[in-house]
Amino acid sequence: MSIIYVLIPIAILFVVIAIGVFFWAVKSEQFSDLNKQAHSILFEDDKEQHKKSNDGN
Amino acid sequence: MAKSCFHCLEAVPSGFQGEVIFEGIANPVCCTGCQAVAETILAQGMSDYYKFRTETSGRVEELVPEQLKELTNYDNQDIQKDFVSEQGNLKEVLLSVEGISCAACAWLIEKQLLALPEIKRVDVNTSTHRAMILWNNELTQLSEIIGALMQIGYKAYPFQADEEAAQKQAASKAYMRRLGVAGLMTMQVMMFAFAMYFGMFSGMEDGFEQYFRWISLILASPVILYSALPFLINAIKGLKSRQLNMDLPVSLAIFGAYGASCYATVMSVGEVYFESICMFTFLLLLGKYLEFRARMKASEFTANLQKLLPLTARRIAGAAEEVIAAKNLQLNDLILVKPGETIPADGIVVEGTSTVDESMMTGEHLPIKKFANHQVYAGTLNHDGVITLKINKVGQNTLLNQIIKLQHNALMKRPKIVEVTDKVAQWFVACLLIFASITAIGWYHVEPEHAFWVTIAVLVATCPCALSLAIPTALTCAVATLTKKGILIKEAHVLETAPKVSRYAFDKTGTLTEGRFTISDITILDQQYAESMILSLASALERYSEHPIAKAFVDDNPSFIEIHQAHVSTGLGVSGEFEGKHIAIGKPSWFGSHASFAQATLFVDKHPIADFYLQDKVRTSAPEVIEYLQSHRLTCHMLTGDSSKAASNLSNELGLDSYKQACAPKDKQQEVEQWSNRGHIVAMVGDGVNDSPVFNSAHLSIAMETGADISKNTADVVLLNSDLNSLKTLQGVAVKTKQIIKQNLTISLLYNGSILPLAALGLVPPWLAVIGMSASSIVVITNSLRLLKL
């Protein structure tokens, strides 16, 4: 059972990392517009045609 | 059956032939504007937009080359200073974009802009309707960016976030961080708390228990010292201003129990309460954050005031004209204002004639004719003529800013009903603190070793969390319900005030009426022409006019007739050729002798054919709402700036209790103040800028979404669907909320009242204190949630 003395601090370390990630996400405005992110998966990023018009510019 | 436009889904006017080919099928469009936009979108391979959009975009106005040329003004370094920030060699701008309606729009905008050279980053926010753009100025100019947005149908303006908005952003982020910490840590602390609960029954090694306590202490510390800190700060602030607020017992309980638990951990005596205080902090924060979010969303919706004023002005310097930043205008400068432009400062017309739309000032939608020596105001819209102005007021002295000042002053002396609830809370807090001290002193004399723990138990068990949740949760749920129904609540006091209202005052134009003209009567002067022919001719001509009256003809009567050589004569009307005849529509006195009270007359070869009488249409919901309010013993009044007979007609039609016409903003304000001095609680419903001062005098102010930005900013409530029926909903929900708040307060006071003596006598063990505290909160929250189902 004494393994618990080691494992719990490691678990706490993970929580601290999670909080760090969360703070970063808040800072980089990941939560400012939740609606858009939910839909973004639907859109294809690079269509052939679109690439062409990019190159054309 | 009318076909709907491929791009904006509005009905296609008969006679328009445009189409767009999408996936091999020709789809109709309603105007060349929509056609151009749809073709651009498809040509650039962004057809996904049409597949995934969830809301339709608005109708697109055709791009005028003149407008595109004006965009280059935004490239001027001097003008950019105000809204563009430099980031190394890159520039960053925040644009307020009109027409963003769903995620597909955001995607479309990002795609379109990233195709331009050296645009580093585009961030579109669909809830605030703003786009942040980071770009390299050497390769792309700001005008090109705005132009590219116009090509796909979005109008964009540089946006300057005011200090208040920035503060709210920061506050929102702080809330999120505090909530994140409290949430994550509470989960961990609960885990160890459960281990200890089981240990209590089945026995646990002392070493483990002590270890768990230390771990809980470490995990709970950030929650208490970071997440719960605002409660402590508020409590101290309250104490400094000699007030006992709700945060005081909350922070006493949190920090007291935390201190006691720390002591217990270090000394290995007594009980620890880490999990209770962590959860308590989390729930309390969550409630406060949701309340804050609801309020922020409401204020985001109302656009920034600055949008009313243009950024640039054309100053006449000698023979040439130069474009300068509007804020650099000086007194006595001469400026030129072209048709369709917004006037940048107050001034006197020196040259030219035009009609000016002052509806944002006066709320009246008829444009006013201006010629030499007339005063015009900043923020109003020049309709059809080129005018030269001599500036006589700038900056803070303009009428627009004075109206804003007036509303700020009124805001200061607004009766705060919230203060009453605060007073009650103060008494409760004072009693609680006295009781806790008596307990402490009493126990110190009887059994000193138990005194501290019993006192903490009193603070935890009687912790006013149910009480402090009673009002905010009910209000938050009610606000959420109302938001869903298109009623935005901007001030928390609305739901407390609404059930007490005894008088409703309405503005006329745009509130009781639609603020939109329709043809009420046609007098045919030449029987040779049928009515349908007359209407077709009229609407064919009026299509060329931007005058608000023209809309009355065009909207209801789509025309097949082609007019040749159409010509708009400023201040008179529109003329053209049809089948070899000269036809014209406009002022009855246009060609001399015809005298009539009609708003417009149709001429064929300068001979009057028909007179048109126009009327502002009454909102269909108005009679129903007035009847509803009167049946609830509320008196209904009308305060309008309109001086015509239309006001008395409307009042009779709707059966209003009284009306007062030709009111300046100040008159409206005085009228409402007189009522409230006589002890009436007054609600004002309006839409124009002229209503914003009176909004501050009224106990409850309600603005229509179609109204001016200023009035929406000042109002306590904004009706997003501009439907007067929302007033019924608002009243209903407010009354229900009042009931639920009463129930909540009764529940929590009953609980606190009964547990207090028990805890003081030391009869409440810690686990019971925690259960009692949580149970009372859960009952209160569940009760409040009923409001969501209205």
Side-chain angles (χ1 to χ4, degrees):
Chain A
M1 274 300 270
S2 40
I3 187 74
I4 225 169
Y5 289 108
V6 184
L7 288 180
I8 288 176
I10 292 175
I12 292 178
L13 194 69
F14 281 132
V15 176
V16 170
I17 292 170
I19 288 179
V21 170
F22 180 74
F23 272 37
W24 166 83
V26 170
K27 189 171 175 246
S28 55
E29 310 215 330
Q30 307 270 330
F31 298 104
S32 64
D33 184 10
L34 298 172
N35 185 27
K36 187 183 81 184
Q37 311 301 342
H39 285 85
S40 62
I41 191 167
L42 291 173
F43 298 103
E44 283 172 47
D45 261 343
D46 276 303
K47 277 200 170 167
E48 273 313 300
Q49 227 177 343
H50 183 233
K51 251 189 201 157
K52 251 185 264 162
S53 78
N54 257 349
D55 299 341
N57 275 326
Chain B
M1 166 55 211
K3 290 172 287 185
S4 58
C5 172
F6 176 66
H7 181 73
C8 68
L9 299 186
E10 279 182 33
V12 177
S14 37
F16 188 80
Q17 296 293 342
E19 49 188 29
V20 163
I21 296 176
F22 175 56
E23 295 183 339
I25 302 163
N27 298 281
V29 286
C30 69
C31 57
T32 45
C34 283
Q35 186 174 22
V37 166
E39 274 168 2
T40 315
I41 290 172
L42 294 178
Q44 303 198 0
M46 301 190 283
S47 53
D48 269 2
Y49 170 72
Y50 291 107
K51 283 190 206 151
F52 297 120
R53 64 176 174 184
T54 51
E55 308 271 336
T56 61
S57 49
R59 194 184 163 128
V60 180
E61 280 164 43
E62 212 173 331
L63 286 183
V64 189
E66 183 74 8
Q67 275 178 340
L68 282 174
K69 218 174 76 192
E70 266 166 38
L71 288 180
T72 50
N73 291 338
Y74 289 134
D75 297 336
N76 186 323
Q77 297 294 327
D78 206 32
I79 293 167
Q80 276 191 5
K81 236 179 358 203
D82 281 346
F83 52 85
V84 173
S85 61
E86 308 256 347
Q87 305 235 331
N89 56 348
L90 299 176
K91 287 190 171 191
E92 190 187 279
V93 71
L94 196 64
L95 295 178
S96 163
V97 186
E98 263 179 34
I100 294 184
S101 50
C102 64
C105 290
W107 174 82
L108 190 62
I109 290 172
E110 285 173 11
K111 271 261 116 93
Q112 171 81 355
L113 292 189
L114 288 172
L116 291 174
E118 278 297 314
I119 295 225
K120 292 286 183 204
R121 204 176 139 196
V122 182
D123 243 326
V124 180
N125 190 320
T126 55
S127 60
T128 54
H129 298 196
R130 282 170 213 157
M132 199 278 290
I133 294 153
L134 191 68
W135 85 102
N136 183 338
N137 200 47
E138 278 159 30
L139 292 165
T140 308
Q141 293 287 315
L142 184 58
S143 58
E144 289 173 47
I145 295 173
I146 296 178
L149 282 176
M150 277 186 155
Q151 266 178 15
I152 49 168
Y154 299 97
K155 268 194 196 161
Y157 311 94
F159 179 85
Q160 218 177 334
D162 53 16
E163 227 166 280
E164 203 190 324
Q167 274 173 4
K168 277 188 183 149
Q169 271 298 331
S172 165
K173 282 186 181 174
Y175 262 122
M176 261 189 273
R177 284 195 299 265
R178 294 206 155 95
L179 260 179
V181 170
L184 279 167
M185 289 307 193
T186 302
M187 281 191 268
Q188 307 299 313
V189 177
M190 287 303 280
M191 204 165 71
F192 294 106
F194 268 93
M196 286 192 277
Y197 293 159
F198 288 121
M200 252 196 286
F201 298 114
S202 56
M204 189 193 277
E205 274 175 51
D206 261 359
F208 272 134
E209 196 181 342
Q210 198 53 26
Y211 180 58
F212 282 169
R213 283 179 162 204
W214 274 104
I215 293 287
S216 301
L217 168 66
I218 292 168
L219 289 170
S221 296
V223 181
I224 308 305
L225 301 180
Y226 176 69
S227 299
L229 207 59
F231 299 126
L232 187 65
I233 292 170
N234 274 342
I236 293 172
K237 263 191 207 154
L239 280 181
K240 270 190 187 156
S241 55
R242 290 164 191 281
Q243 271 177 345
L244 299 171
N245 53 21
M246 274 303 212
D247 286 318
L248 184 63
V250 165
S251 37
L252 264 182
I254 293 176
F255 287 88
Y258 175 67
S261 307
C262 287
Y263 174 82
T265 309
V266 177
M267 299 309 211
S268 1
V269 288
E271 293 291 336
V272 292
Y273 293 88
F274 291 120
E275 80 286 5
S276 328
I277 49 178
C278 281
M279 192 149 79
F280 181 36
T281 306
F282 177 69
L283 285 177
L284 218 60
L285 261 182
L286 191 67
K288 285 207 165 188
Y289 176 62
L290 290 177
E291 201 191 324
F292 172 82
R293 274 272 303 242
R295 232 178 298 145
M296 194 167 85
K297 202 166 172 126
S299 66
E300 264 171 9
F301 223 96
T302 57
N304 200 323
L305 273 184
Q306 282 172 329
K307 238 171 88 178
L308 273 180
L309 288 176
L311 287 163
T312 59
R314 301 165 193 278
R315 185 165 62 183
I316 301 174
E321 63 172 72
E322 53 172 358
V323 174
I324 61 161
K327 68 175 171 80
N328 293 338
L329 280 175
Q330 303 280 321
L331 280 182
N332 297 327
D333 274 354
L334 285 178
I335 59 163
L336 200 66
V337 183
K338 292 194 172 168
E341 288 183 344
T342 305
I343 295 165
D346 287 9
I348 302 250
V349 180
V350 251
E351 212 184 305
T353 55
S354 177
T355 54
V356 173
D357 180 1
E358 292 189 342
S359 62
M360 56 246 309
M361 292 285 179
T362 61
E364 304 303 326
H365 287 246
L366 271 180
I368 295 157
K369 191 157 185 201
K370 299 282 182 183
F371 41 87
N373 289 328
H374 276 209
Q375 174 78 46
V376 292
Y377 303 105
T380 57
L381 187 71
N382 179 22
H383 263 295
D384 43 19
V386 179
I387 44 176
T388 310
L389 303 178
K390 189 172 184 183
I391 301 299
N392 62 359
K393 269 169 192 152
V394 286
Q396 287 305 309
N397 298 322
T398 60
L399 183 66
L400 183 69
N401 279 317
Q402 274 176 354
I403 290 180
I404 297 170
K405 233 188 279 172
L406 202 62
Q407 101 194 5
H408 272 296
N409 291 343
L411 203 67
M412 293 297 176
K413 56 179 186 189
R414 182 202 286 272
K416 282 263 191 288
I417 297 160
V418 188
E419 281 171 12
V420 181
T421 19
D422 280 354
K423 281 232 170 74
V424 175
Q426 282 202 29
W427 278 106
F428 182 82
V429 171
C431 292
L432 196 79
L433 292 178
I434 293 169
F435 204 87
S437 342
I438 293 174
T439 314
I441 296 166
W443 276 88
Y444 188 74
H445 287 290
V446 186
E447 279 178 70
E449 70 275 17
H450 282 129
F452 185 69
W453 298 107
V454 172
T455 312
I456 288 296
V458 167
L459 278 176
V460 170
T462 60
C463 164
C465 56
L467 190 68
S468 54
L469 288 172
I471 297 174
T473 50
L475 291 181
T476 312
C477 292
V479 167
T481 306
L482 289 172
T483 312
K484 244 190 300 179
K485 292 180 192 273
I487 304 166
L488 273 185
I489 305 293
K490 290 176 59 196
E491 302 287 336
H493 76 83
V494 168
L495 289 160
E496 293 173 75
T497 317
K500 295 183 201 152
V501 170
S502 58
R503 239 158 225 254
Y504 265 88
F506 293 90
D507 176 42
K508 184 175 81 75
T509 320
T511 307
L512 288 174
T513 67
E514 288 180 355
R516 178 173 94 87
F517 289 92
T518 50
I519 301 166
S520 66
D521 198 16
I522 304 173
T523 314
I524 299 174
L525 302 169
D526 188 334
Q527 299 304 330
Q528 231 179 295
Y529 294 85
E531 192 178 303
S532 59
M533 183 63 186
I534 289 171
L535 277 174
S536 298
L537 280 174
S539 74
L541 278 172
E542 291 285 17
R543 246 196 300 170
Y544 294 94
S545 170
E546 289 299 320
H547 203 281
I549 282 184
K551 280 205 180 110
F553 293 89
V554 182
D555 288 356
D556 299 339
N557 310 286
S559 173
F560 306 96
I561 294 174
E562 278 291 325
I563 301 280
H564 300 286
Q565 295 174 353
H567 175 72
V568 180
S569 308
T570 305
L572 289 170
V574 195
S575 58
E577 297 273 326
F578 172 65
E579 292 179 348
K581 284 180 181 155
H582 176 263
I583 56 167
I585 190 164
K587 275 200 156 174
S589 58
W590 194 353
F591 297 108
S593 58
H594 181 56
S596 159
F597 289 109
Q599 279 94 338
T601 304
L602 179 73
F603 301 89
V604 173
D605 287 335
K606 303 190 178 178
H607 179 69
I609 298 299
D611 277 346
F612 297 94
Y613 294 89
L614 303 176
Q615 199 185 24
D616 193 1
K617 213 164 125 194
V618 179
R619 274 186 205 276
T620 43
S621 50
E624 198 186 330
V625 166
I626 301 286
E627 206 187 301
Y628 172 88
L629 293 174
Q630 286 177 337
S631 72
H632 284 70
R633 286 198 222 136
L634 301 168
T635 55
C636 296
H637 307 266
M638 179 166 75
L639 299 173
T640 175
D642 188 355
S643 54
S644 75
K645 212 167 159 275
S648 64
N649 288 345
L650 183 71
S651 169
N652 288 335
E653 191 186 331
L654 294 174
L656 295 172
D657 294 287
S658 77
Y659 72 93
K660 191 175 181 191
Q661 57 183 183
C663 297
K666 209 147 196 162
D667 298 334
K668 291 189 180 186
Q669 205 176 352
Q670 274 167 1
E671 189 80 3
V672 168
E673 269 165 13
Q674 273 173 21
W675 285 335
S676 45
N677 287 342
R678 269 181 264 147
H680 291 286
I681 305 283
V682 188
M684 175 78 205
V685 192
D687 74 325
V689 169
N690 60 337
D691 293 322
S692 54
V694 66
F695 274 0
N696 291 313
S697 302
H699 297 87
L700 182 65
S701 51
I702 302 163
M704 313 297 268
E705 167 60 11
T706 45
D709 286 346
I710 291 197
S711 63
K712 283 187 276 172
N713 268 317
T714 336
D716 302 325
V717 182
V718 180
L719 304 183
L720 290 182
N721 42 19
S722 293
D723 180 359
L724 285 175
N725 274 320
S726 303
L727 292 180
K728 280 161 63 177
T729 321
L730 177 65
Q731 279 288 340
V733 172
V735 169
K736 188 85 196 167
T737 311
K738 198 179 160 192
Q739 279 173 11
I740 290 206
I741 287 179
K742 268 190 186 162
Q743 291 165 1
N744 282 351
L745 289 176
T746 317
I747 294 169
S748 52
L749 285 175
L750 269 181
Y751 161 76
N752 279 338
S754 50
I755 198 103
L756 197 67
L758 297 176
L761 292 173
L763 297 173
V764 181
W767 57 271
L768 196 62
V770 173
I771 290 178
M773 183 186 90
S774 322
S776 64
S777 309
I778 289 169
V779 170
V780 162
I781 292 173
T782 319
N783 194 34
S784 297
L785 288 179
R786 290 197 295 149
L787 282 169
L788 281 181
K789 290 184 191 133
L790 284 182

